[in-house]
Amino acid sequence: MTEVRGAAGPNGDTDARRAPGTPCWVSLMVHGLTATEEFYGALFGWEFEPGPQQLGAYVRALRDGREVAGIGQLSPDLHLPIAWTPYFASDDVDLTAETARLCGGTVGVGPLDAAEAGRMAIASDPSGAVFGIWQAAAHLGTALSGVPGTPVWDELLTFETSSVAKFYETVFGYEEEPVVSADFDYVALHVGGRPVAGIHGVGLSLPRDRGPHWLTYFEVADVEATLREVTELGGQVLKPARDSAHGRVATVADPEGAIFSVVQSPR
């Protein structure tokens, strides 16, 4: 993980249109929408309002009245992995999706319009990790950052970084900054000279039941207290709290199994 903050205003507001490749939204599709709202509402202090319904029932999560994430209801006949999916900004979602296809990726949904909010697609890289592409119109994306209950970092966990980093560099125009280490395979993805996401090659320690996947980090005020709440609310602690160069971090799963990390940044 690399320390990063969005282009936020004095109160953490991020109302500007994102440069292509910048993480701009994170979304979760689940079977039990109401129960999931209750879990994240209690954990992160989120409130909810209806969002575009093209893919079924969908709500936007609000923190302090600002949009921070989305949660949708899966159709009962769809048995897809329950996972948080980051969306990356694009000025032309159709072109970005076609570039992903030409580079060995797969486009599973779209491109399609999400009412007046914008245009979207959901794709996977050549290793199978799923991500979203967002061309903003009325909805610019996450409107608050750097405070508890907001996403602060997205990291791809994959087998090795070299080939998949080239995919994302071509699709989104990232600049790469590899971490020079004999035993740590990591590449930071930069937009305009600023790190916006990371790729972590973990080799054979990648969970067999998960495969390569994107992991979203959410800011919290107190990691230990958050882990207690996760357990009390029916979730699971997968990696207990540990110190890192960027604060206290831990990895958890919600009651439907969606994995995410929490980070308590140094103050």
Side-chain angles (χ1 to χ4, degrees):
M1 181 184 175
T2 300
E3 182 66 18
V4 66
R5 286 289 179 268
N11 299 313
D13 297 347
T14 55
D15 285 331
R17 182 179 294 274
R18 270 69 163 194
T22 306
C24 59
W25 190 243
V26 63
S27 189
L28 174 65
M29 300 298 290
V30 298
H31 294 291
L33 182 57
T34 300
T36 300
E37 287 183 42
E38 292 173 353
F39 174 84
Y40 287 101
L43 187 67
F44 289 146
W46 288 351
E47 297 177 337
F48 301 91
E49 67 177 14
Q53 307 293 303
Q54 272 79 357
L55 299 179
Y58 190 85
V59 296
R60 290 179 180 156
L62 309 179
R63 173 74 193 213
D64 300 330
R66 310 303 297 268
E67 297 172 348
V68 296
I71 304 175
Q73 175 91 45
L74 278 172
S75 171
D77 59 335
L78 287 179
H79 301 284
L80 301 175
I82 307 299
W84 282 101
T85 300
Y87 282 71
F88 302 98
S90 170
D91 288 338
D92 185 337
V93 67
D94 295 78
L95 178 60
T96 302
E98 182 60 23
T99 303
R101 281 195 194 96
L102 293 174
C103 292
T106 301
V107 178
V109 177
L112 55 84
D113 291 324
E116 74 286 349
R119 191 162 170 80
M120 60 159 286
I122 299 176
S124 57
D125 66 29
S127 70
V130 176
F131 62 94
I133 308 166
W134 182 253
Q135 181 181 337
H139 177 62
L140 298 178
T142 304
L144 189 67
S145 70
V147 300
T150 62
V152 294
W153 186 248
D154 292 292
E155 190 168 276
L156 173 62
L157 300 180
T158 190
F159 295 107
E160 52 83 27
T161 62
S162 59
S163 60
V164 75
K166 289 181 173 61
F167 169 84
Y168 287 99
E169 179 184 354
T170 303
V171 172
F172 290 110
Y174 294 122
E175 305 110 31
E176 297 179 28
E177 183 183 328
V179 173
V180 180
S181 173
D183 57 356
F184 189 59
D185 184 14
Y186 199 97
V187 171
L189 302 175
H190 288 235
V191 171
R194 183 175 67 92
V196 297
I199 302 177
H200 189 185
V202 297
L204 296 179
S205 64
L206 193 69
R208 290 187 178 184
D209 61 339
R210 289 279 298 162
H213 61 278
W214 281 93
L215 179 69
T216 296
Y217 287 74
F218 292 92
E219 183 75 44
V220 296
D222 184 325
V223 164
E224 274 73 16
T226 299
L227 297 187
R228 289 194 295 272
E229 286 185 272
V230 165
T231 302
E232 291 169 1
L233 293 167
Q236 183 180 0
V237 176
L238 303 179
K239 292 184 179 179
R242 60 199 184 279
D243 290 318
S244 76
H246 312 291
R248 295 280 284 170
V249 298
T251 302
V252 301
D254 71 17
E256 284 206 27
I259 298 172
F260 59 99
S261 286
V262 292
V263 55
Q264 178 184 340
S265 299
R267 303 299 180 190

